[in-house]
Amino acid sequence: MGDQLKRIADERDAGAFRSLFLTFGPKVRAMLMRQGADTEMAEDIAQETMLAVWRKCHLFSSDRGSVSTWIYSIARNLRIDRIRRQVVWQHFCKDIEVLQVAVELPDERLAREQKRATLGEALADLPTEQLQIIQLSFMDGLTQNEIAGKLNLPLGTVKSRMRLAYVKLRGSVEGAI
């Protein structure tokens, strides 16, 4: 697959792109539908994804991950962007913020701030390599496979570091919360 991207980037090879499109178009569409997109949105984003692959193929680096990881990341990011642009989503988020502020009692706010502080301290105590994996997973929403590709680590190492981080966090947070 990497050689196809190289041919697309270097020669604008339509045949290589067609092959890549036929391979990944349906897979991207299926992934988006599993994530909750309806048929029309999944098809639109799959098309946008493959257009982005055509336009940005020169940016792909096999050092940072596989072709499939790169393509799925593009699709995932396009879906997130689409959801964030939806007016319904924006109104929903504003309504939730208003409800949270209106309903929260002083004791609840204090408890929430204490929990946040405890979790912050527990995260600060993690070794850098474990914290990085937790951040990529929870802040960036990457899967373990995507993290392994991004950090150029074996998948088993990512899983081990994540498990160790969970154990440390659970031990730090359980007694305090």
Side-chain angles (χ1 to χ4, degrees):
M1 292 294 156
D3 58 322
Q4 288 177 322
L5 271 181
K6 185 160 177 45
R7 285 199 325 260
I8 295 167
D10 295 345
E11 305 165 19
R12 302 311 269 173
D13 186 338
F17 179 73
R18 183 176 192 281
S19 174
L20 202 66
F21 188 95
L22 291 173
T23 301
F24 283 101
K27 291 178 181 180
V28 167
R29 183 177 176 274
M31 177 198 74
L32 293 165
M33 291 182 71
R34 280 192 310 272
Q35 291 179 346
D38 61 29
T39 306
E40 184 178 333
M41 181 188 282
E43 187 64 39
D44 286 348
I45 296 173
Q47 294 286 330
E48 283 181 53
T49 300
M50 297 313 292
L51 279 172
V53 168
W54 174 261
R55 287 191 312 265
K56 298 178 182 184
C57 58
H58 63 282
L59 299 174
F60 172 74
S61 170
S62 60
D63 297 340
R64 297 174 64 199
S66 68
V67 173
S68 60
T69 300
W70 184 65
I71 292 173
Y72 291 136
S73 295
I74 292 171
R76 181 184 154 277
N77 292 337
L78 287 171
R79 181 171 183 269
I80 291 169
D81 290 345
R82 174 88 52 103
I83 290 170
R84 286 179 179 158
R85 283 192 311 258
Q86 291 177 343
V87 176
V88 174
W89 176 256
Q90 292 170 1
H91 289 301
F92 176 74
C93 289
K94 288 178 186 173
D95 291 345
I96 292 296
E97 289 172 12
V98 169
L99 287 173
Q100 286 176 337
V101 171
V103 174
E104 189 172 55
L105 299 172
D107 290 344
E108 292 171 339
R109 181 179 303 149
L110 180 61
R112 181 177 42 83
E113 288 172 3
Q114 287 173 338
K115 288 177 185 178
R116 181 177 289 152
T118 300
L119 183 57
E121 291 170 9
L123 286 169
D125 289 340
L126 287 177
T128 306
E129 62 273 357
Q130 291 174 12
L131 179 61
Q132 183 181 29
I133 288 174
I134 294 296
Q135 287 173 332
L136 289 171
S137 176
F138 289 97
M139 303 299 240
D140 297 347
L142 299 180
T143 65
Q144 291 177 335
N145 282 330
E146 291 169 335
I147 293 169
K150 183 172 183 147
L151 298 179
N152 198 23
L153 292 171
L155 180 59
T157 301
V158 170
K159 289 181 179 207
S160 294
R161 288 180 183 173
M162 188 173 281
R163 183 183 48 76
L164 289 170
Y166 285 152
V167 168
K168 288 179 183 175
L169 289 174
R170 185 178 299 129
S172 299
V173 174
E174 272 184 352
I177 294 182

Short mmCIF file of all heavy atoms in Angstrom, two decimals, residues 118-176:
data_model
loop_
_atom_site.label_atom_id
_atom_site.label_comp_id
_atom_site.label_asym_id
_atom_site.label_seq_id
_atom_site.Cartn_x
_atom_site.Cartn_y
_atom_site.Cartn_z
N THR A 118 -7.31 15.33 42.60
CA THR A 118 -6.77 14.00 42.91
C THR A 118 -6.33 13.30 41.63
O THR A 118 -5.24 12.71 41.57
CB THR A 118 -7.81 13.15 43.65
OG1 THR A 118 -8.17 13.82 44.86
CG2 THR A 118 -7.28 11.77 43.97
N LEU A 119 -7.16 13.36 40.62
CA LEU A 119 -6.81 12.72 39.34
C LEU A 119 -5.60 13.42 38.72
O LEU A 119 -4.71 12.75 38.18
CB LEU A 119 -8.00 12.76 38.39
CG LEU A 119 -7.80 12.07 37.04
CD1 LEU A 119 -7.43 10.61 37.24
CD2 LEU A 119 -9.05 12.18 36.20
N GLY A 120 -5.54 14.74 38.81
CA GLY A 120 -4.39 15.48 38.28
C GLY A 120 -3.09 15.06 38.96
O GLY A 120 -2.06 14.88 38.29
N GLU A 121 -3.14 14.90 40.28
CA GLU A 121 -1.95 14.46 41.01
C GLU A 121 -1.56 13.04 40.62
O GLU A 121 -0.38 12.73 40.47
CB GLU A 121 -2.22 14.52 42.51
CG GLU A 121 -2.34 15.93 43.06
CD GLU A 121 -2.83 15.98 44.50
OE1 GLU A 121 -2.92 14.91 45.15
OE2 GLU A 121 -3.15 17.09 44.96
N ALA A 122 -2.55 12.18 40.46
CA ALA A 122 -2.28 10.79 40.07
C ALA A 122 -1.65 10.74 38.68
O ALA A 122 -0.70 9.98 38.44
CB ALA A 122 -3.56 9.96 40.11
N LEU A 123 -2.15 11.56 37.77
CA LEU A 123 -1.59 11.61 36.42
C LEU A 123 -0.15 12.15 36.45
O LEU A 123 0.72 11.67 35.74
CB LEU A 123 -2.45 12.46 35.50
CG LEU A 123 -3.77 11.83 35.05
CD1 LEU A 123 -4.66 12.86 34.37
CD2 LEU A 123 -3.52 10.64 34.13
N ALA A 124 0.09 13.15 37.29
CA ALA A 124 1.42 13.74 37.39
C ALA A 124 2.44 12.74 37.93
O ALA A 124 3.63 12.85 37.64
CB ALA A 124 1.38 14.98 38.28
N ASP A 125 1.97 11.75 38.70
CA ASP A 125 2.86 10.75 39.27
C ASP A 125 3.22 9.63 38.29
O ASP A 125 4.10 8.83 38.56
CB ASP A 125 2.25 10.13 40.53
CG ASP A 125 2.23 11.12 41.70
OD1 ASP A 125 3.00 12.09 41.66
OD2 ASP A 125 1.45 10.91 42.65
N LEU A 126 2.52 9.56 37.16
CA LEU A 126 2.81 8.51 36.17
C LEU A 126 4.14 8.78 35.48
O LEU A 126 4.50 9.94 35.22
CB LEU A 126 1.71 8.47 35.11
CG LEU A 126 0.36 7.90 35.49
CD1 LEU A 126 -0.61 8.00 34.32
CD2 LEU A 126 0.47 6.46 35.95
N PRO A 127 4.86 7.73 35.13
CA PRO A 127 6.05 7.90 34.30
C PRO A 127 5.66 8.52 32.95
O PRO A 127 4.55 8.31 32.46
CB PRO A 127 6.58 6.47 34.11
CG PRO A 127 5.99 5.69 35.24
CD PRO A 127 4.67 6.33 35.53
N THR A 128 6.55 9.26 32.37
CA THR A 128 6.27 10.01 31.14
C THR A 128 5.74 9.12 30.02
O THR A 128 4.77 9.48 29.34
CB THR A 128 7.56 10.72 30.65
OG1 THR A 128 8.08 11.51 31.71
CG2 THR A 128 7.28 11.61 29.46
N GLU A 129 6.33 7.94 29.85
CA GLU A 129 5.89 7.08 28.74
C GLU A 129 4.46 6.56 28.95
O GLU A 129 3.72 6.36 28.00
CB GLU A 129 6.87 5.92 28.49
CG GLU A 129 7.04 4.96 29.64
CD GLU A 129 8.12 5.36 30.65
OE1 GLU A 129 8.80 6.38 30.44
OE2 GLU A 129 8.27 4.64 31.64
N GLN A 130 4.07 6.34 30.21
CA GLN A 130 2.69 5.90 30.49
C GLN A 130 1.72 7.07 30.34
O GLN A 130 0.64 6.91 29.77
CB GLN A 130 2.59 5.32 31.90
CG GLN A 130 3.32 4.00 32.06
CD GLN A 130 3.32 3.52 33.50
OE1 GLN A 130 2.61 4.03 34.35
NE2 GLN A 130 4.15 2.51 33.77
N LEU A 131 2.10 8.25 30.81
CA LEU A 131 1.25 9.43 30.70
C LEU A 131 1.00 9.77 29.23
O LEU A 131 -0.13 10.09 28.84
CB LEU A 131 1.89 10.62 31.41
CG LEU A 131 1.13 11.94 31.35
CD1 LEU A 131 -0.24 11.79 32.00
CD2 LEU A 131 1.92 13.05 32.04
N GLN A 132 2.02 9.65 28.42
CA GLN A 132 1.88 9.94 26.99
C GLN A 132 0.84 9.02 26.35
O GLN A 132 -0.01 9.46 25.58
CB GLN A 132 3.25 9.78 26.31
CG GLN A 132 3.23 10.12 24.84
CD GLN A 132 4.60 9.93 24.20
OE1 GLN A 132 5.39 9.09 24.64
NE2 GLN A 132 4.88 10.69 23.17
N ILE A 133 0.87 7.76 26.69
CA ILE A 133 -0.08 6.81 26.12
C ILE A 133 -1.49 7.09 26.62
O ILE A 133 -2.45 7.06 25.85
CB ILE A 133 0.37 5.36 26.42
CG1 ILE A 133 1.59 5.05 25.54
CG2 ILE A 133 -0.76 4.36 26.17
CD1 ILE A 133 2.25 3.73 25.79
N ILE A 134 -1.64 7.42 27.89
CA ILE A 134 -2.97 7.75 28.44
C ILE A 134 -3.51 9.01 27.75
O ILE A 134 -4.69 9.07 27.38
CB ILE A 134 -2.89 7.95 29.98
CG1 ILE A 134 -2.54 6.64 30.67
CG2 ILE A 134 -4.18 8.55 30.52
CD1 ILE A 134 -3.57 5.55 30.53
N GLN A 135 -2.66 10.01 27.54
CA GLN A 135 -3.10 11.23 26.88
C GLN A 135 -3.52 10.96 25.43
O GLN A 135 -4.54 11.47 24.98
CB GLN A 135 -1.99 12.29 26.91
CG GLN A 135 -1.81 12.90 28.28
CD GLN A 135 -0.61 13.82 28.36
OE1 GLN A 135 0.36 13.67 27.64
NE2 GLN A 135 -0.69 14.79 29.27
N LEU A 136 -2.74 10.18 24.72
CA LEU A 136 -3.09 9.87 23.33
C LEU A 136 -4.40 9.09 23.27
O LEU A 136 -5.19 9.29 22.34
CB LEU A 136 -1.96 9.09 22.65
CG LEU A 136 -0.70 9.89 22.35
CD1 LEU A 136 0.41 8.96 21.88
CD2 LEU A 136 -0.98 10.96 21.31
N SER A 137 -4.63 8.24 24.24
CA SER A 137 -5.84 7.44 24.24
C SER A 137 -7.07 8.27 24.61
O SER A 137 -8.06 8.26 23.89
CB SER A 137 -5.68 6.27 25.21
OG SER A 137 -6.87 5.53 25.29
N PHE A 138 -6.99 9.00 25.71
CA PHE A 138 -8.17 9.68 26.23
C PHE A 138 -8.34 11.10 25.71
O PHE A 138 -9.46 11.56 25.54
CB PHE A 138 -8.17 9.66 27.75
CG PHE A 138 -8.45 8.28 28.28
CD1 PHE A 138 -7.41 7.46 28.66
CD2 PHE A 138 -9.73 7.81 28.36
CE1 PHE A 138 -7.66 6.18 29.13
CE2 PHE A 138 -10.00 6.53 28.81
CZ PHE A 138 -8.96 5.72 29.20
N MET A 139 -7.25 11.80 25.47
CA MET A 139 -7.37 13.18 24.99
C MET A 139 -7.52 13.22 23.47
O MET A 139 -8.32 13.98 22.94
CB MET A 139 -6.14 14.00 25.39
CG MET A 139 -5.91 14.01 26.87
SD MET A 139 -7.26 14.72 27.77
CE MET A 139 -6.43 16.05 28.55
N ASP A 140 -6.74 12.40 22.77
CA ASP A 140 -6.77 12.40 21.31
C ASP A 140 -7.70 11.34 20.75
O ASP A 140 -7.98 11.32 19.57
CB ASP A 140 -5.36 12.20 20.75
CG ASP A 140 -4.41 13.33 21.13
OD1 ASP A 140 -4.90 14.37 21.62
OD2 ASP A 140 -3.20 13.18 20.94
N GLY A 141 -8.15 10.41 21.60
CA GLY A 141 -9.08 9.38 21.16
C GLY A 141 -8.47 8.33 20.25
O GLY A 141 -9.17 7.70 19.47
N LEU A 142 -7.17 8.12 20.34
CA LEU A 142 -6.51 7.13 19.49
C LEU A 142 -6.68 5.72 20.06
O LEU A 142 -6.74 5.54 21.27
CB LEU A 142 -5.02 7.44 19.36
CG LEU A 142 -4.64 8.78 18.74
CD1 LEU A 142 -3.12 8.93 18.70
CD2 LEU A 142 -5.21 8.94 17.36
N THR A 143 -6.74 4.76 19.17
CA THR A 143 -6.77 3.37 19.59
C THR A 143 -5.36 2.93 19.95
O THR A 143 -4.38 3.62 19.64
CB THR A 143 -7.30 2.45 18.46
OG1 THR A 143 -6.35 2.49 17.38
CG2 THR A 143 -8.67 2.90 17.98
N GLN A 144 -5.24 1.76 20.57
CA GLN A 144 -3.90 1.26 20.91
C GLN A 144 -3.07 1.04 19.65
O GLN A 144 -1.87 1.32 19.65
CB GLN A 144 -4.03 -0.02 21.73
CG GLN A 144 -4.58 0.22 23.11
CD GLN A 144 -4.78 -1.06 23.90
OE1 GLN A 144 -4.95 -2.13 23.34
NE2 GLN A 144 -4.77 -0.94 25.22
N ASN A 145 -3.68 0.56 18.58
CA ASN A 145 -2.94 0.37 17.32
C ASN A 145 -2.45 1.71 16.78
O ASN A 145 -1.32 1.82 16.29
CB ASN A 145 -3.83 -0.32 16.27
CG ASN A 145 -3.95 -1.80 16.50
OD1 ASN A 145 -3.03 -2.42 17.03
ND2 ASN A 145 -5.08 -2.36 16.13
N GLU A 146 -3.30 2.74 16.83
CA GLU A 146 -2.90 4.06 16.34
C GLU A 146 -1.78 4.64 17.20
O GLU A 146 -0.85 5.26 16.67
CB GLU A 146 -4.11 5.00 16.33
CG GLU A 146 -5.15 4.63 15.30
CD GLU A 146 -6.46 5.39 15.44
OE1 GLU A 146 -6.78 5.84 16.56
OE2 GLU A 146 -7.17 5.51 14.43
N ILE A 147 -1.86 4.42 18.50
CA ILE A 147 -0.81 4.91 19.41
C ILE A 147 0.50 4.22 19.08
O ILE A 147 1.55 4.87 18.99
CB ILE A 147 -1.20 4.68 20.88
CG1 ILE A 147 -2.40 5.55 21.25
CG2 ILE A 147 -0.02 4.97 21.80
CD1 ILE A 147 -3.02 5.20 22.60
N ALA A 148 0.45 2.91 18.89
CA ALA A 148 1.66 2.16 18.55
C ALA A 148 2.28 2.70 17.26
O ALA A 148 3.50 2.88 17.18
CB ALA A 148 1.34 0.67 18.41
N GLY A 149 1.44 2.98 16.28
CA GLY A 149 1.95 3.54 15.02
C GLY A 149 2.53 4.93 15.20
O GLY A 149 3.59 5.25 14.66
N LYS A 150 1.83 5.77 15.94
CA LYS A 150 2.28 7.14 16.14
C LYS A 150 3.60 7.20 16.91
O LYS A 150 4.46 8.01 16.60
CB LYS A 150 1.21 7.94 16.88
CG LYS A 150 1.56 9.39 17.06
CD LYS A 150 0.41 10.18 17.61
CE LYS A 150 0.82 11.64 17.70
NZ LYS A 150 -0.27 12.54 17.48
N LEU A 151 3.74 6.36 17.92
CA LEU A 151 4.95 6.38 18.75
C LEU A 151 6.03 5.42 18.27
O LEU A 151 7.09 5.33 18.87
CB LEU A 151 4.59 6.05 20.21
CG LEU A 151 3.63 7.03 20.90
CD1 LEU A 151 3.34 6.55 22.32
CD2 LEU A 151 4.21 8.43 20.90
N ASN A 152 5.69 4.68 17.20
CA ASN A 152 6.62 3.69 16.66
C ASN A 152 7.05 2.68 17.72
O ASN A 152 8.23 2.43 17.92
CB ASN A 152 7.83 4.39 16.02
CG ASN A 152 8.57 3.47 15.08
OD1 ASN A 152 8.02 2.51 14.56
ND2 ASN A 152 9.84 3.76 14.84
N LEU A 153 6.04 2.15 18.43
CA LEU A 153 6.26 1.16 19.48
C LEU A 153 5.52 -0.12 19.12
O LEU A 153 4.50 -0.07 18.43
CB LEU A 153 5.71 1.67 20.82
CG LEU A 153 6.40 2.85 21.48
CD1 LEU A 153 5.58 3.34 22.67
CD2 LEU A 153 7.80 2.46 21.93
N PRO A 154 5.97 -1.25 19.64
CA PRO A 154 5.20 -2.48 19.46
C PRO A 154 3.86 -2.36 20.19
O PRO A 154 3.77 -1.71 21.24
CB PRO A 154 6.07 -3.56 20.09
CG PRO A 154 7.43 -2.98 20.21
CD PRO A 154 7.25 -1.50 20.31
N LEU A 155 2.83 -2.97 19.63
CA LEU A 155 1.49 -2.92 20.23
C LEU A 155 1.51 -3.45 21.66
O LEU A 155 0.87 -2.90 22.55
CB LEU A 155 0.49 -3.70 19.37
CG LEU A 155 -0.94 -3.74 19.87
CD1 LEU A 155 -1.52 -2.34 19.99
CD2 LEU A 155 -1.80 -4.60 18.94
N GLY A 156 2.26 -4.51 21.90
CA GLY A 156 2.35 -5.09 23.24
C GLY A 156 2.91 -4.10 24.26
O GLY A 156 2.48 -4.07 25.41
N THR A 157 3.86 -3.27 23.84
CA THR A 157 4.43 -2.26 24.73
C THR A 157 3.37 -1.22 25.10
O THR A 157 3.24 -0.82 26.26
CB THR A 157 5.64 -1.58 24.07
OG1 THR A 157 6.62 -2.57 23.77
CG2 THR A 157 6.23 -0.51 24.97
N VAL A 158 2.59 -0.81 24.11
CA VAL A 158 1.52 0.16 24.35
C VAL A 158 0.51 -0.43 25.34
O VAL A 158 0.10 0.23 26.30
CB VAL A 158 0.84 0.57 23.03
CG1 VAL A 158 -0.42 1.39 23.29
CG2 VAL A 158 1.81 1.34 22.14
N LYS A 159 0.12 -1.68 25.11
CA LYS A 159 -0.86 -2.32 25.99
C LYS A 159 -0.32 -2.45 27.41
O LYS A 159 -1.03 -2.20 28.38
CB LYS A 159 -1.25 -3.70 25.44
CG LYS A 159 -2.09 -3.61 24.19
CD LYS A 159 -2.48 -4.98 23.70
CE LYS A 159 -3.34 -4.84 22.46
NZ LYS A 159 -4.24 -5.93 22.28
N SER A 160 0.94 -2.83 27.54
CA SER A 160 1.55 -2.99 28.87
C SER A 160 1.61 -1.66 29.61
O SER A 160 1.27 -1.57 30.78
CB SER A 160 2.96 -3.56 28.75
OG SER A 160 2.92 -4.87 28.25
N ARG A 161 2.05 -0.62 28.90
CA ARG A 161 2.14 0.69 29.54
C ARG A 161 0.77 1.21 29.95
O ARG A 161 0.62 1.82 31.00
CB ARG A 161 2.83 1.69 28.60
CG ARG A 161 4.31 1.43 28.46
CD ARG A 161 4.97 2.41 27.54
NE ARG A 161 6.38 2.10 27.38
CZ ARG A 161 7.19 2.72 26.54
NH1 ARG A 161 6.73 3.71 25.79
NH2 ARG A 161 8.44 2.37 26.44
N MET A 162 -0.23 0.95 29.11
CA MET A 162 -1.58 1.41 29.44
C MET A 162 -2.10 0.66 30.66
O MET A 162 -2.69 1.25 31.57
CB MET A 162 -2.52 1.22 28.24
CG MET A 162 -3.88 1.85 28.46
SD MET A 162 -4.91 1.81 26.98
CE MET A 162 -4.22 3.17 26.06
N ARG A 163 -1.88 -0.65 30.71
CA ARG A 163 -2.33 -1.44 31.86
C ARG A 163 -1.63 -0.99 33.13
O ARG A 163 -2.26 -0.80 34.17
CB ARG A 163 -2.08 -2.93 31.61
CG ARG A 163 -2.60 -3.83 32.72
CD ARG A 163 -2.27 -5.30 32.49
NE ARG A 163 -0.89 -5.57 32.14
CZ ARG A 163 0.14 -5.56 33.01
NH1 ARG A 163 -0.07 -5.29 34.27
NH2 ARG A 163 1.36 -5.82 32.61
N LEU A 164 -0.33 -0.77 33.07
CA LEU A 164 0.42 -0.30 34.24
C LEU A 164 -0.11 1.06 34.71
O LEU A 164 -0.25 1.31 35.91
CB LEU A 164 1.91 -0.21 33.94
CG LEU A 164 2.64 -1.53 33.78
CD1 LEU A 164 4.06 -1.31 33.24
CD2 LEU A 164 2.70 -2.28 35.10
N ALA A 165 -0.40 1.93 33.77
CA ALA A 165 -0.94 3.25 34.12
C ALA A 165 -2.30 3.11 34.80
O ALA A 165 -2.57 3.78 35.80
CB ALA A 165 -1.05 4.12 32.87
N TYR A 166 -3.16 2.23 34.28
CA TYR A 166 -4.47 2.00 34.90
C TYR A 166 -4.33 1.53 36.34
O TYR A 166 -5.04 2.00 37.23
CB TYR A 166 -5.28 0.97 34.12
CG TYR A 166 -5.87 1.44 32.82
CD1 TYR A 166 -6.10 0.55 31.79
CD2 TYR A 166 -6.20 2.77 32.61
CE1 TYR A 166 -6.65 0.97 30.59
CE2 TYR A 166 -6.75 3.19 31.42
CZ TYR A 166 -6.97 2.29 30.40
OH TYR A 166 -7.51 2.71 29.23
N VAL A 167 -3.42 0.59 36.55
CA VAL A 167 -3.23 0.05 37.89
C VAL A 167 -2.77 1.16 38.84
O VAL A 167 -3.30 1.29 39.95
CB VAL A 167 -2.21 -1.12 37.87
CG1 VAL A 167 -1.78 -1.51 39.27
CG2 VAL A 167 -2.80 -2.31 37.13
N LYS A 168 -1.82 1.98 38.40
CA LYS A 168 -1.33 3.07 39.25
C LYS A 168 -2.42 4.11 39.50
O LYS A 168 -2.58 4.59 40.62
CB LYS A 168 -0.12 3.74 38.60
CG LYS A 168 1.12 2.89 38.65
CD LYS A 168 2.29 3.56 37.97
CE LYS A 168 3.49 2.63 37.98
NZ LYS A 168 4.62 3.17 37.24
N LEU A 169 -3.17 4.46 38.46
CA LEU A 169 -4.24 5.44 38.62
C LEU A 169 -5.33 4.92 39.55
O LEU A 169 -5.82 5.65 40.42
CB LEU A 169 -4.84 5.81 37.26
CG LEU A 169 -3.97 6.66 36.36
CD1 LEU A 169 -4.61 6.83 34.98
CD2 LEU A 169 -3.70 8.02 36.97
N ARG A 170 -5.71 3.67 39.37
CA ARG A 170 -6.74 3.08 40.21
C ARG A 170 -6.31 3.09 41.67
O ARG A 170 -7.08 3.46 42.56
CB ARG A 170 -7.06 1.65 39.77
CG ARG A 170 -8.22 1.05 40.55
CD ARG A 170 -8.59 -0.35 40.11
NE ARG A 170 -8.99 -0.37 38.72
CZ ARG A 170 -8.49 -1.20 37.80
NH1 ARG A 170 -7.60 -2.09 38.14
NH2 ARG A 170 -8.90 -1.16 36.56
N GLY A 171 -5.07 2.72 41.93
CA GLY A 171 -4.57 2.72 43.30
C GLY A 171 -4.54 4.12 43.90
O GLY A 171 -4.85 4.30 45.08
N SER A 172 -4.18 5.12 43.11
CA SER A 172 -4.10 6.50 43.60
C SER A 172 -5.47 7.12 43.80
O SER A 172 -5.68 7.89 44.73
CB SER A 172 -3.31 7.36 42.63
OG SER A 172 -2.01 6.89 42.49
N VAL A 173 -6.39 6.79 42.94
CA VAL A 173 -7.67 7.49 42.91
C VAL A 173 -8.73 6.80 43.74
O VAL A 173 -9.59 7.47 44.34
CB VAL A 173 -8.14 7.65 41.44
CG1 VAL A 173 -9.51 8.24 41.37
CG2 VAL A 173 -7.13 8.51 40.67
N GLU A 174 -8.73 5.48 43.84
CA GLU A 174 -9.81 4.76 44.52
C GLU A 174 -10.01 5.19 45.96
O GLU A 174 -11.13 5.44 46.39
CB GLU A 174 -9.55 3.24 44.49
CG GLU A 174 -10.10 2.57 43.27
CD GLU A 174 -9.91 1.06 43.29
OE1 GLU A 174 -9.22 0.53 44.19
OE2 GLU A 174 -10.47 0.41 42.40
N GLY A 175 -8.96 5.33 46.70
CA GLY A 175 -9.10 5.71 48.10
C GLY A 175 -9.53 7.16 48.27
O GLY A 175 -10.21 7.51 49.24
N ALA A 176 -9.16 8.02 47.33
CA ALA A 176 -9.43 9.45 47.47
C ALA A 176 -10.81 9.84 46.96
O ALA A 176 -11.36 10.85 47.38
CB ALA A 176 -8.36 10.24 46.74
#
